[in-house]
Amino acid sequence: MISMKKKIKSNRISYLKPIDAMILIALFVMFIMLTIGLSVGTYQYKENQVLLIKDCMNIFSDNQKVQFQQFIDSKVAVLEGLAQYPDIYRMDEEQQEKFIKGRSKKLGFHHIFVMRAEGTGYYIDEGVIREQGDEPFYQSVMENEIYITEPFYSPEHITMTVSVSIYDKFKRKVGALCGAFELTEIEKLFAQNEMFLGGKLWLINREGKYIVADDIHKIYSKEVIYDAADADYSLIRAAFEQRTDVEGVLIQNGEEYITNVTYLAGYDWVIVQCVEESAVYKDLRYIDWWNYFSIGLICIIIIGVVRITLYWYQSVREVNIDTLTKSNSRIYMQNLLEQLERDYKHDIALIYFDLNKFKYVNDTFGHDEGDRILCIFAEVLEEVFRKRGCVGRLGGDEFLVVGVGLTQDEVLKLCHAVEEHLVERSGELAYEYVISTSYGFAIREKGSQLLIEDILSQADENMYRFKEAGKQLK
């Protein structure tokens, strides 16, 4: 005999089908995956944007470094050209004055002067000779082939000095040719490349003083960047200690900055460029909002799908399940018979059951007891025909069992089992009453073209014949 579970594709949703459960699980998994995917994607995108900004900062710093070096090289080249002028080291003050005076501006300097080995400095444009042998400046000029000073502050302006060595014919250093230029030239050099996202650009010496700053007062007041409160400039210190370029996070006024520090080896200075993190992520906030919106939308869709699925499940269950006996409903049985209409490969048995004297029970013991007997009857049918047939309540005390592949002998055996079980279950009643049933069945043999409706009518007629025969015997 063919199992009803394998043969009949039920339309009933008395329980959530595996496919429905799989769909719900898939939706939740999809939700989780999409949420994780959006979060990871957003994080990666933001990280890529930060990396892109860091790359741009590196390129910017390299350009600034090259431009600064080219600027200094141009100043040095001019002075070296003058220092190599034939016999310049042999000129006296009058000759030097005649040769250089008035050319400072044309040569790109504020003023040019000669520092001699004996410790005097001849400021040609002013016509002044100063004793400077004890000054650190003199020591540095004489000890270095090329030397660049820190900014020199005066009430009118800030200047920096570049010096190149002067040698005599015996290749002995006899002094240095020095050229002072306005610090504003370096500021203009840095300003011509505008920082992106409102970033800051500084040129700082080892002591932490500003050579170029976003605020000119920091330079005039000789402010030291390390003295700032609520700040962390360890990144700048690291660049000086390691004498190399570094990047990371700098904190100023409690705000974090994505920072690139470029070390200028020949000068022991650093170019610092930093962009406030909030400015970087400001343009990325829309991604977060889109992420939140997408997750919220997915969540709403998931909730909607679940609610619709549960509503559909509940609605179909109410249609397909008899609310009293929990057996299949009349609608379900009708759908089942429609499925079996064109099944000509198997024997199809339709068995009608009807309780005897059910009206008597309702009238004598009350409808509650009648409902209890109906539930017992349904439980017996389900127990006996489990895996052998599909049980449904058609209405009142009438039940239909549909079996595929059942023979006449098997049907009779199962019907007798129903009668025996009903007698046993009658002992559960609080009053003396034996539950009994009348039944009738008809079988459409495989290959038969008879309509299921005709077989159903025949089973119904056989059931009434059985009931009438029982009445006559009594």
Side-chain angles (χ1 to χ4, degrees), residues 107-324:
L107 295 173
F109 293 96
H110 181 270
H111 61 272
I112 296 175
F113 60 97
V114 177
M115 185 67 63
R116 293 196 174 91
E118 60 269 22
T120 59
Y122 177 43
Y123 292 80
I124 298 170
D125 289 334
E126 300 175 29
V128 175
I129 297 176
R130 296 191 179 98
E131 292 292 336
Q132 295 182 267
D134 296 332
E135 296 179 6
F137 170 72
Y138 168 78
Q139 300 296 330
S140 298
V141 165
M142 298 307 295
E143 291 173 1
N144 294 278
E145 191 70 18
I146 297 174
Y147 179 69
I148 301 174
T149 68
E150 299 287 335
F152 175 79
Y153 304 85
S154 69
E156 297 83 15
H157 48 250
I158 303 175
T159 59
M160 293 179 65
T161 300
V162 177
S163 70
V164 298
S165 300
I166 301 175
Y167 292 92
D168 62 14
K169 64 180 179 179
F170 301 108
K171 304 299 180 181
R172 292 176 301 186
K173 185 170 182 177
V174 294
L177 186 61
C178 307
F181 58 90
E182 298 277 0
L183 185 64
T184 53
E185 291 189 55
I186 295 181
E187 292 174 351
K188 291 177 181 178
L189 180 71
F190 277 66
Q192 69 183 12
N193 295 321
E194 184 177 355
M195 277 291 292
F196 46 88
L197 298 177
K200 299 180 179 181
L201 183 64
W202 307 316
L203 184 61
I204 297 175
N205 68 8
R206 180 174 284 272
E207 295 176 357
K209 293 180 181 179
Y210 292 93
I211 297 172
V212 173
D214 52 320
D215 183 355
I216 192 67
H217 296 292
K218 292 180 179 179
I219 302 173
Y220 274 104
S221 63
K222 300 183 180 180
E223 181 178 328
V224 176
I225 192 171
Y226 303 135
D227 295 340
D230 196 15
D232 181 3
Y233 297 106
S234 56
L235 197 68
I236 297 177
R237 294 182 186 274
F240 280 113
E241 291 172 4
Q242 299 170 19
R243 296 179 178 273
T244 186
D245 300 345
V246 296
E247 61 179 33
V249 177
L250 176 148
I251 300 176
Q252 186 179 60
N253 299 323
E255 297 291 337
E256 293 187 352
Y257 291 80
I258 297 174
T259 305
N260 179 287
V261 183
T262 303
Y263 182 71
L264 301 176
Y267 316 98
D268 203 26
W269 297 340
V270 291
I271 298 173
V272 180
Q273 56 169 328
C274 51
V275 177
E276 194 172 351
E277 275 194 347
S278 59
V280 174
Y281 289 114
K282 180 179 179 181
D283 292 339
L284 302 177
R285 286 177 187 170
Y286 75 92
I287 300 176
D288 287 328
W289 286 113
W290 173 249
N291 191 16
Y292 299 145
F293 171 78
S294 300
I295 293 174
L297 182 61
I298 293 170
C299 188
I300 291 172
I301 292 173
I302 293 292
I303 292 173
V305 170
V306 171
R307 286 180 62 88
I308 292 172
T309 302
L310 292 177
Y311 176 78
W312 167 75
Y313 159 73
Q314 184 63 28
S315 300
V316 174
R317 188 176 187 278
E318 290 175 357
V319 170
N320 289 322
I321 299 298
D322 181 67
T323 55
L324 175 62

